[in-house]
Amino acid sequence: MPPSESHTPRRKKKKASTTSTASNEAGAVVTDPKTGAQHPAFPLASFLWPARISASQWVILPLVLMLVGLFRWVTGFWGYSGFDTPPMHGDFEAQRHWMEITLHLPMSQWYFHDLGYWGLDYPPLTAYHSWILGKIGCIIDPAWFALHSSRGFENQLLKVYMRGTVLASEYLVYVPAAIILNRKFARLRSVSRWESSIALVATLMQPSTILIDHGHFQYNTVMLGFVLASLSSMLASRYLWGSFFLVAALCFKQMALYYAPAFFAYLLGVCLLSNINLRRLLAIAVVTLISFGVIYAPLLIGTLYDSRRNMSPTFERDLTSPPPSLSFLLTSLDQEAWYFPPLLQLAQSTHRIFPFARGLFEDKVANVWCALNTVHKLHVYPMPMVQRVSLSATFMSILPACMIISLYPRRELLPWALASSAWGFFLFSYQVHEKSVLLPLLPMTILLGADGGLGPEMRAWIGWANMLGTWTLFPLLKRDELRVPYSVLSSFWAYLLGLPPTSLSLYTRSYPRSAGLSTLIKLVHLGFYAAMVVWHALEAFVPTPEGKPDLWVVLNAVIGAAGFGICFVWCTWQLIMRSGLMEDYFGFRMLVESGQKKTQ
């Protein structure tokens, strides 16, 4: 029977190309010029070489997830922050303590309770997350989170549970978001599934993220997962979902603010510059406000409920002084009014989330202020002046990325803008922790999944930034007895991507002029790699001079700050060049000059 005229045959899906594109040949695949034979360019490509033609992605993905999960779980066998170091212990105890107080105290007291002992200083979504994990943990053993009596509790079963919560949280948020973004990126930039799988493994095996969350102990990947979900939504032009996930990231950890200006500038460009759409802009604004409201609602409603039961915290009982954000209103606000407790809660949570009173930086972090402090002490200046200088420097550092992504709101430029913005915040902002280096490293690392991301230039820069970032974390990891996981994970990641110190092929192999690195860049990268190796030798075998116990740590921070400054400049320059700004500028100049000649 002949088909009807209205029948449209189903289009057959195109099979993934099994041949390499030009970008492949300069990246994950190397072609022998004599025989034409192709072979993998680095070990990670070798491991996935059998999957290049025939293997289904549904076979590869479970194997990848099991492998990266195994590395995470084994890292957890080692020490963690604050183990057996009373009275304050460390980040492990802080996370456990927040589960304790969210379980047993009214919501209105979460941000007021005993602030001298790991007072809650993250946004409400972290508190809700702690409450859920504490509820589950109490089913196993209520003693883990007993109010007051569980402080400093150290138990192997508790350690297993806490490690398991990090892994479960990561696999529920970060890993799915990374997979979806990886696939989205591949479709957007026409990257083969095989190359996309290589980039995914490299991203999930990023050593600094594993060492901080599964070694040192934190839940950074939940926040980073929301950021990846926001980026993925933006790439799919789902701006409302992207706004929601960005708010979720900000309400889990305030460090997500590193990305917020770039996202805001991109959305502004999409709504106003490329194609004016005020309705879309209004919808984004409304969804953003509603998202903040929904996440803060349980905390504020709980505070109102507690005030009805006369359980709200008061200044006299819980605070030595009112929150700065609310103190100027005390003369005009009635402390007995129904709206005062939620306003107080909002002000106190903001005060705790943005702790300006703590100082410019903590410990020895590889940013500009810590590096400057080694030659000129900054604490001699008034705190308000230091804060203003930091704010001005941060604003100026993120301004180029924000301006470019708003003027050229193209999806492929967004990761570059996020990387530049995050580096600017890390280098110049106030109260930076060494762990914050995870934020600029993430958008750089996901660029391995872009077209040409596995090529020698991109792989060298991204690999160098990650190795340098992991190296700057060593003083922190050393205190947690994580030397072995640090050595294994960083060396293994370098081996997988063919990076120094395991291999010099990326810097010695000849590449086409357009795909390789300049001699100057090779010298810079290799110089930093050599400095890292020499530093480890000095730190391990040479005692510090008398009176300078932190010499090697300070040297680590100074070298790291110099390297991160180079990373910031490279990411910003790549954003400028890829945006087409330079072509537009020189084209405009030529047009003006030709017009002037005609008038003459």
Side-chain angles (χ1 to χ4, degrees):
M1 181 178 179
S4 63
E5 294 181 2
S6 61
H7 171 71
T8 303
R10 180 181 295 176
R11 296 177 63 184
K12 293 183 179 180
K13 293 183 179 180
K14 292 183 179 180
K15 293 184 178 180
S17 175
T18 59
T19 59
S20 298
T21 63
S23 64
N24 292 102
E25 294 178 2
V29 177
V30 176
T31 304
D32 190 318
K34 296 181 179 179
T35 64
Q38 295 180 331
H39 58 87
F42 47 92
L44 182 54
S46 298
F47 290 146
L48 293 174
W49 189 258
R52 183 165 170 255
I53 298 177
S54 58
S56 167
Q57 296 300 304
W58 296 110
V59 175
I60 298 172
L61 187 58
L63 295 176
V64 167
L65 296 183
M66 286 189 287
L67 176 67
V68 299
L70 179 63
F71 274 95
R72 282 159 167 74
W73 190 249
V74 171
T75 301
F77 291 167
W78 296 82
Y80 53 79
S81 172
F83 174 69
D84 199 23
T85 55
M88 293 300 292
H89 300 276
D91 281 354
F92 181 93
E93 169 62 12
Q95 300 289 344
R96 188 214 60 79
H97 179 62
W98 295 341
M99 297 176 195
E100 169 195 342
I101 63 175
T102 54
L103 270 176
H104 296 289
L105 296 178
M107 276 187 170
S108 60
Q109 297 182 22
W110 285 1
Y111 285 98
F112 293 85
H113 178 73
D114 196 1
L115 302 182
Y117 186 82
W118 296 117
L120 183 60
D121 56 3
Y122 280 129
L125 206 54
T126 287
Y128 308 151
H129 178 253
S130 298
W131 179 80
I132 293 171
L133 299 182
K135 279 287 187 183
I136 297 171
C138 272
I139 297 173
I140 304 172
D141 189 345
W144 291 347
F145 309 111
L147 189 63
H148 302 311
S149 63
S150 63
R151 287 191 178 184
F153 193 94
E154 291 179 338
N155 176 280
Q156 284 301 313
L157 188 57
L158 172 63
K159 176 183 175 181
V160 171
Y161 173 74
M162 296 289 280
R163 295 293 197 194
T165 61
V166 177
L167 190 65
S169 299
E170 182 171 357
Y171 269 68
L172 285 173
V173 181
Y174 180 78
V175 171
I179 294 170
I180 293 170
L181 177 62
N182 180 265
R183 298 293 183 256
K184 190 81 67 181
F185 226 19
R187 289 195 294 270
L188 178 66
R189 306 304 298 166
S190 301
V191 177
S192 70
R193 287 185 177 180
W194 177 67
E195 283 188 299
S196 177
S197 298
I198 295 173
L200 177 63
V201 175
T203 301
L204 295 179
M205 283 298 296
Q206 190 183 30
S208 54
T209 304
I210 299 175
L211 288 166
I212 290 299
D213 274 25
H214 299 274
H216 176 80
F217 195 88
Q218 284 201 338
Y219 295 95
N220 292 299
T221 47
V222 178
M223 177 268 294
L224 295 175
F226 285 134
V227 171
L228 293 181
S230 178
L231 177 57
S232 180
S233 299
M234 300 290 184
L235 295 182
S237 299
R238 297 188 177 96
Y239 304 116
L240 301 184
W241 277 111
S243 301
F244 168 76
F245 285 124
L246 178 59
V247 171
L250 288 166
C251 288
F252 193 86
K253 284 201 173 187
Q254 60 269 34
M255 292 188 301
L257 191 63
Y258 285 29
Y259 303 119
F263 274 123
F264 174 76
Y266 174 74
L267 291 173
L268 203 63
V270 166
C271 295
L272 297 182
L273 296 180
S274 63
N275 184 17
I276 297 177
N277 192 332
L278 294 178
R279 182 181 296 179
R280 176 189 290 169
L281 181 62
L282 180 61
I284 290 171
V286 170
V287 167
T288 300
L289 292 174
I290 290 175
S291 299
F292 274 113
V294 168
I295 293 174
Y296 268 85
L299 179 67
L300 301 180
I301 293 173
T303 300
L304 280 172
Y305 175 71
D306 291 340
S307 69
R308 293 282 187 138
R309 299 187 296 163
N310 295 320
M311 297 180 65
S312 289
T314 61
F315 289 131
E316 293 77 16
R317 188 180 65 203
D318 298 292
L319 293 174
T320 56
S321 62
S325 54
L326 192 60
S327 58
F328 73 98
L329 293 176
L330 288 178
T331 55
S332 57
L333 286 180
D334 179 9
Q335 296 189 24
E336 301 299 324
W338 68 269
Y339 55 78
F340 183 79
L343 277 179
L344 173 64
Q345 186 69 247
L346 193 61
Q348 173 66 358
S349 61
T350 304
H351 174 60
R352 294 292 300 163
I353 291 167
F354 299 103
F356 290 108
R358 291 187 186 177
L360 190 57
F361 55 85
E362 289 191 10
D363 294 330
K364 305 294 187 297
V365 59
N367 75 346
V368 169
W369 307 125
C370 187
L372 285 177
N373 195 64
T374 61
V375 295
H376 182 72
K377 300 305 177 184
L378 301 177
H379 66 269
V380 299
Y381 297 102
M383 187 69 68
M385 187 187 81
V386 172
Q387 292 175 354
R388 287 194 294 269
V389 170
S390 173
L391 178 63
S392 301
T394 304
F395 175 77
M396 294 303 297
S397 68
I398 67 175
L399 187 60
C402 293
M403 289 183 64
I404 292 169
I405 198 62
S406 62
L407 292 172
Y408 300 90
R410 300 203 302 269
R411 292 177 291 179
E412 66 272 15
L413 297 179
L414 187 53
W416 293 102
L418 294 175
S420 178
S421 174
W423 278 124
F425 267 96
F426 181 82
L427 288 169
F428 297 103
S429 66
Y430 199 85
Q431 254 298 302
V432 174
H433 294 258
E434 58 269 69
K435 294 161 286 195
S436 301
V437 75
L438 300 180
L439 281 87
L441 289 179
L442 178 65
M444 284 190 74
T445 306
I446 62 174
L447 284 167
L448 289 170
D451 53 329
L454 297 176
E457 181 184 11
M458 292 278 285
R459 185 157 47 93
W461 276 101
I462 295 169
W464 175 68
N466 273 278
M467 293 299 292
L468 184 64
T470 307
W471 175 73
T472 60
L473 294 172
F474 179 80
L476 172 70
L477 300 172
K478 178 186 175 183
R479 293 199 298 268
D480 301 335
E481 299 296 333
L482 293 169
R483 296 181 188 86
V484 173
Y486 162 83
S487 302
V488 172
L489 288 171
S490 57
S491 300
F492 185 59
W493 198 79
Y495 165 73
L496 288 176
L497 292 181
L499 302 170
T502 60
S503 173
L504 296 175
S505 61
L506 192 56
Y507 296 91
T508 58
R509 182 182 294 166
S510 60
Y511 293 99
R513 186 178 181 85
S514 60
L517 296 167
S518 67
T519 303
L520 176 61
I521 298 303
K522 289 180 181 179
L523 291 175
V524 170
H525 284 195
L526 292 175
F528 272 89
Y529 280 117
M532 287 186 263
V533 172
V534 171
W535 181 90
H536 272 301
L538 292 173
E539 188 275 334
F541 301 110
V542 179
T544 57
E546 187 176 352
K548 297 183 178 179
D550 296 330
L551 177 62
W552 303 139
V553 180
V554 170
L555 185 61
N556 177 289
V558 171
I559 295 173
F564 294 153
I566 295 172
C567 290
F568 167 67
V569 172
W570 180 73
C571 289
T572 307
W573 180 249
Q574 288 292 319
L575 176 63
I576 293 171
M577 296 303 294
R578 292 167 185 267
S579 68
L581 176 65
M582 301 301 290
E583 290 86 345
D584 291 348
Y585 170 73
F586 286 114
F588 177 74
R589 279 194 59 182
M590 291 178 64
L591 186 63
V592 171
E593 290 174 359
S594 63
Q596 290 175 347
K597 290 179 180 178
K598 288 180 180 178
T599 57
Q600 292 174 357

